[in-house]
Amino acid sequence: MGPLEVETDSGLVELGGARQRAALAFLLLHANRVVPTSQLLDALWPTDRAPLTARKILQNAVWRLRRALAHAAGPEVGPELVTRAPGYMVRVRPEEVDLLVFQQRVAEGRAALAADDPMTASRVLREALSLWQGVALADLVEDGTIWPQLTAVQEMRLDVMEDRFEAELACGGHHAVLRELEAYVEAEPLRERASQQLMTALYRCGRQAEALGVYSRVRAALVGGLGLEPGRQMQLLQQSVLTQDPSLDLPPEVMARREQGLAAVASPAPGSTERERDEHDAHGAGDATTPAPAADDTPQTAPGLVLTGPPEETDEPPNPRQPATILMLRFHLGAEFDHLPPKDIDRVLDAVSQLAREKIEEFGGEVAASIGSVQLGYFAHTPERACGAERAVRAGTSVRDCLSVPAAPSAPPTPVVRGLHVQAAVTTGEAVVTQWTVAGAVRPWIGGDLIDVCQDMLDQTPDGMVRVCDLTHRLTESRVVYHRAGSSRSRWQVRTICPVTGALGERCPSQAGEREYELDLMHGLLRRARHRSIPHLITVLGESGLGKTRLLMEFRRRLSAEKDTVRVLTGSVRCPGSGGPLSAPAEMFAAYCGIGHEDTERTALRKAEGTLIRLAGTADGARAMLAALKPLIAPVRPAQRMPSTGETLGAWRDFVVKAALEQPLVLIWDDLHHADDILLETVEHLTDTSVDVPLLNVVGARALLLELRPDWAGGRQHSLTISLASAAGDTLDRLLRSLPVPDGSADVA
């Protein structure tokens, strides 16, 4: 409710440095709730990656805070900072924290407003707002702290201010709040509710033209900024002002109350003394719309005042059209799941649907519908939050990325569980949004043409892809890289998405979860390989469901932002019997040369020859390499000499060295424990035979790899082995482990 302060009877408590203050502030935002250590670390180091000693720094900060709070409380019972798995908690009485007092007062004020007691609501909400002393945690915000929780608190303050304006207008206080409303709307020009309140206040003050001017300014801002018209409620209000609709006038009972209040203030009460009458005349009539509370804080009402109930319902059905973005996700199970019983099919759909619901909510959306394998997410467009279109695109991409492994930039990703696919479509426009109560919870119901457009786009979206409409593309093209989907001018396909830097105002969780330390190690070795031209080998060991594949996937995804400085090639080693030792090297070679599945043999050989000429520098050298590498591209005819597997892998190793010398290279292998001995030998010794080459060789495998080769990378320079354990609280890992994986499916995560 202002700068962070801890105050006792003896004065303010010294809280220490910025990290220490931030730790306490974040815990107080979650008062009386356990905050996981990982969440605290993300809060303290939101943009720059946490140092290796981050947990130790946090432990020291907590220790100092605990001493400071205990010393300040003395013998009294005060706030306690306690350790509770999996993190920490501040235990505090609600009346000791301004934010909790504010929330309690707001709840009371809104209850009074809902009970048609605007005078009480106005007084209580005004008291709640008086607790604010500036921007919430202003000292931390000044230092660059950006937390979703802070955004939510500031957003709540704006909502409460509008609730108070509503209560004041219901009391007939349009003159009293007019200047404050004008300043508020000037600062928040896109908040339509406040603009409607200002229009109402101006109209009741006899300033009809100025009320219409407010509408014109809001419409210009919405059309110019988002390409959207004002909401239906504001359009109806404009029409009411133009036609001088009587519904804009104060209700008769409020007019009667105002007249009684003015009469009571304008003349002294019967039987009053001469001194009391003089004091009354000296003070004047005052503000009849805001009577002073009695000594016991009971609001004063005029004699005979009768509070009316809610307005009578009309026969006209609600039809509030609002700017919105719709995300539609569909999960598809391939033939690999055909033999599973129906109950297992339902378990799979329930699990992935739950994942989709969590992601929609994490990115600030609401789940509007869940029908079978389809999830519908609703993202409102509000001025105090980031663009709903961007949040919807990020949510859809996040679900897709959780269940897939990136392939070539233009190719669909490979499902983590074979046969489990997801499609996503995002559309932006005007939708009919109505709030419904379902099982005690208020949920949005979405209707209108926007749903049909989204459904049509989803039907045309390939598996593993995210497509958006033209308006969504225009609103997000500064943060998302797209390419056109086929010949359509109004359909765009997501290619890459920029990392979140705080513009969303919300926490967008990393797919790697608690694997940040491992990712830091991998990035560190990549930097060393690039700057010192020293090849490195990284081995990532993990059993099924422990995030091995997703860690490699996340590493590759982050490297996509460095595509101008480093080249990444990936290959998955197939199960024995489904691919020989050359399948993964062939996958990498084809990706480097730009060879696609649709290319003819002649086209593929021409692309490979052109690439090798560029790398080798001479046509003769390129042709010699191509002769040995041909089994990676096309079948060798009987009349031609068939190179041995060892020759082909040797030529492939030479190609890797030349490619890395042209541009730093990262090779990512997954499921190497399936590899034959000859491929294992090639991969393990690749960095040994590549001297002074900026090459990073990353291997993902199960622990079975060490059984096959007990001395794998043992004792070698420039090698690192990462053994993964189950990450605490990793819901995606638990989800994937719970899936009834079809026989013959790829490894899970």
Side-chain angles (χ1 to χ4, degrees):
M1 319 299 288
L4 176 63
E5 293 178 346
V6 176
E7 187 174 3
T8 66
D9 293 339
S10 56
L12 296 178
V13 177
E14 177 59 45
L15 297 176
R19 298 281 188 205
Q20 205 162 302
R21 297 171 63 84
L24 178 59
F26 196 78
L27 289 169
L28 285 172
L29 287 172
H30 302 79
N32 299 316
R33 287 179 289 166
V34 176
V35 178
T37 301
S38 59
Q39 193 175 345
L40 259 175
L41 293 174
D42 287 343
L44 297 182
W45 288 272
T47 52
D48 54 324
R49 295 189 180 92
L52 296 178
T53 58
R55 286 180 180 267
K56 187 64 175 177
I57 295 173
L58 176 59
Q59 290 170 358
N60 290 336
V62 169
W63 177 77
R64 294 189 184 96
L65 284 171
R66 187 176 288 140
R67 289 189 60 189
L69 294 177
H71 178 73
E76 301 177 359
V77 177
E80 290 183 276
L81 204 171
V82 297
T83 302
R84 290 287 185 274
Y88 303 96
M89 175 177 68
V90 168
R91 196 155 48 201
V92 64
R93 294 193 300 272
E95 63 272 17
E96 293 179 324
V97 181
D98 284 348
L99 178 59
L100 300 182
V101 175
F102 171 73
Q103 292 170 341
Q104 177 61 33
R105 296 278 177 84
V106 168
E108 294 171 2
R110 286 174 172 171
L113 194 59
D116 200 15
D117 185 1
M119 296 184 70
T120 301
S122 173
R123 176 179 59 82
V124 174
L125 293 175
R126 191 184 294 273
E127 291 173 357
L129 290 167
S130 68
L131 295 171
W132 284 79
Q133 304 173 27
V135 177
L137 299 179
D139 51 336
L140 298 178
V141 172
E142 188 67 24
D143 290 337
T145 297
I146 303 175
W147 292 335
Q149 294 81 1
L150 281 179
T151 303
V153 171
Q154 295 289 355
E155 187 177 312
M156 185 179 185
R157 182 191 187 187
L158 298 180
D159 292 339
V160 174
M161 292 178 70
E162 292 174 6
D163 289 340
R164 185 180 68 80
F165 294 145
E166 180 179 335
E168 297 276 8
L169 291 174
C171 293
H174 40 274
H175 287 287
V177 298
L178 183 57
R179 288 188 179 179
E180 194 175 353
L181 256 174
E182 287 176 326
Y184 179 89
V185 170
E186 184 177 355
E188 301 288 342
L190 295 182
R191 291 186 70 97
E192 291 192 38
R193 183 189 180 195
S195 296
Q196 292 174 54
Q197 292 169 337
L198 177 58
M199 289 176 66
T200 302
L202 287 168
Y203 180 84
R204 290 179 182 174
C205 291
R207 298 159 64 177
Q208 179 180 346
E210 293 177 61
L212 294 173
V214 173
Y215 177 86
S216 299
R217 291 196 299 272
V218 173
R219 183 181 183 277
L222 285 172
V223 172
L226 295 173
L228 300 173
E229 292 288 338
R232 181 172 175 78
Q233 291 180 349
M234 195 160 189
Q235 293 179 28
L236 292 175
L237 178 59
Q238 181 211 25
Q239 293 299 317
S240 297
V241 172
L242 287 170
T243 60
Q244 298 183 351
D245 193 325
S247 65
L248 293 179
D249 297 330
L250 284 174
E253 62 271 14
V254 178
M255 290 294 295
R257 183 175 65 194
R258 279 177 53 82
E259 291 172 0
Q260 289 178 353
L262 286 170
V265 175
S267 59
S272 59
T273 65
E274 182 177 356
R275 179 179 177 182
E276 288 171 339
R277 287 195 294 271
D278 292 341
E279 288 179 352
H280 179 276
D281 294 338
H283 284 88
D287 184 2
T289 66
T290 313
D296 61 353
D297 287 341
T298 302
Q300 300 298 294
T301 59
L305 176 63
V306 178
L307 297 179
T308 62
E312 295 180 359
E313 296 183 0
T314 64
D315 294 332
E316 182 181 354
N319 186 31
R321 300 187 68 86
Q322 301 176 11
T325 295
I326 301 301
L327 164 65
M328 196 173 289
L329 293 154
R330 178 192 291 145
F331 299 100
H332 169 63
L333 304 181
E336 294 86 350
F337 287 82
D338 287 349
H339 71 285
L340 291 179
K343 64 177 183 179
D344 284 345
I345 298 291
D346 291 342
R347 281 179 52 210
V348 174
L349 292 177
D350 286 346
V352 294
S353 296
Q354 178 61 29
L355 172 67
R357 288 192 290 271
E358 291 178 0
K359 291 298 179 184
I360 289 172
E361 291 173 355
E362 284 176 354
F363 283 87
E366 296 180 77
V367 179
S370 178
I371 305 174
S373 61
V374 176
Q375 299 288 319
L376 182 66
Y378 160 65
F379 293 79
H381 287 244
T382 56
E384 67 275 10
R385 301 181 69 181
C387 175
E390 182 180 342
R391 291 184 282 116
V393 172
R394 288 187 181 277
T397 307
S398 179
V399 174
R400 188 274 310 271
D401 291 346
C402 280
L403 299 175
S404 61
V405 181
S410 59
T414 303
V416 173
V417 177
R418 189 176 301 167
L420 175 58
H421 305 277
V422 61
Q423 307 156 279
V426 182
T427 53
T428 300
E430 195 173 64
V432 178
V433 183
T434 306
Q435 299 293 331
W436 294 83
T437 301
V438 180
V442 178
R443 293 178 178 268
W445 179 88
I446 314 297
D449 297 338
L450 196 61
I451 299 296
D452 297 332
V453 173
C454 197
Q455 176 71 55
D456 178 64
M457 188 186 306
L458 187 69
D459 292 339
Q460 302 175 43
T461 301
D463 288 338
M465 292 299 184
V466 180
R467 285 191 176 176
V468 308
C469 69
D470 196 50
L471 179 54
T472 304
H473 166 258
R474 292 204 307 270
L475 292 173
T476 60
E477 60 183 336
S478 63
R479 306 278 298 169
V480 183
V481 178
Y482 295 98
H483 64 87
R484 285 197 184 276
S487 59
S488 173
R489 296 179 58 84
S490 60
R491 298 291 186 268
W492 300 85
Q493 200 153 284
V494 175
R495 176 171 287 176
T496 58
I497 192 163
C498 301
V500 177
T501 58
L504 289 179
E506 293 150 17
R507 182 175 185 270
C508 299
S510 166
Q511 299 302 333
E514 295 205 1
R515 305 299 186 198
E516 293 294 334
Y517 297 115
E518 289 84 352
L519 289 166
D520 284 344
L521 286 173
M522 297 165 75
H523 275 282
L525 288 183
L526 173 59
R527 287 193 296 270
R528 191 168 189 264
R530 286 171 52 189
H531 296 304
R532 298 190 181 182
S533 294
I534 299 176
H536 286 76
L537 170 64
I538 299 176
T539 306
V540 179
L541 299 177
E543 295 307 310
S544 176
L546 295 184
K548 166 181 59 67
T549 297
R550 287 196 298 117
L551 177 63
L552 300 181
M553 174 184 71
E554 179 67 15
F555 184 52
R556 172 177 176 168
R557 183 174 294 113
R558 296 188 182 189
L559 293 183
S560 64
E562 305 178 34
K563 60 183 179 180
D564 295 333
T565 57
V566 65
R567 187 75 179 267
V568 183
L569 301 177
T570 62
S572 295
V573 182
R574 301 173 186 173
C575 300
S578 59
L582 298 181
S583 61
E587 185 180 347
M588 294 180 177
F589 185 70
Y592 190 90
C593 297
I595 300 172
H597 296 291
E598 70 283 357
D599 288 335
T600 63
E601 179 180 333
R602 176 177 297 179
T603 301
L605 288 171
R606 186 172 66 250
K607 288 182 177 180
E609 184 176 12
T611 300
L612 294 174
I613 288 175
R614 189 186 77 245
L615 294 178
T618 64
D620 291 340
R623 280 192 285 270
M625 289 183 67
L626 185 60
L629 291 171
K630 190 175 181 183
L632 302 182
I633 310 165
V636 179
R637 295 183 174 81
Q640 299 173 324
R641 188 184 79 83
M642 175 70 175
S644 66
T645 300
E647 286 181 283
T648 300
L649 288 175
W652 177 85
R653 184 181 60 243
D654 294 341
F655 148 74
V656 167
V657 171
K658 294 181 183 300
L661 288 173
E662 182 182 65
Q663 183 181 17
L665 187 63
V666 177
L667 304 181
I668 299 179
W669 309 79
D670 198 13
D671 293 335
L672 195 70
H673 55 275
H674 291 320
D676 297 339
D677 285 341
I678 190 168
L679 181 59
L680 286 174
E681 187 74 19
T682 301
V683 175
E684 181 181 14
H685 295 285
L686 184 60
T687 54
D688 297 341
T689 56
S690 307
V691 183
D692 298 330
V693 175
L695 171 66
L696 183 65
N697 196 25
V698 183
V699 169
R702 294 187 184 181
L704 175 63
L705 177 65
L706 298 184
E707 297 180 19
L708 299 173
R709 302 182 76 86
D711 59 343
W712 175 268
R716 289 187 176 83
Q717 287 186 327
H718 315 312
S719 65
L720 170 69
T721 299
I722 299 174
S723 296
L724 299 182
S726 180
D730 193 333
T731 55
L732 183 57
D733 273 341
R734 292 199 304 270
L735 182 153
L736 292 173
R737 284 200 297 271
S738 70
L739 292 181
V741 182
D743 294 337
S745 171
D747 289 343
V748 180

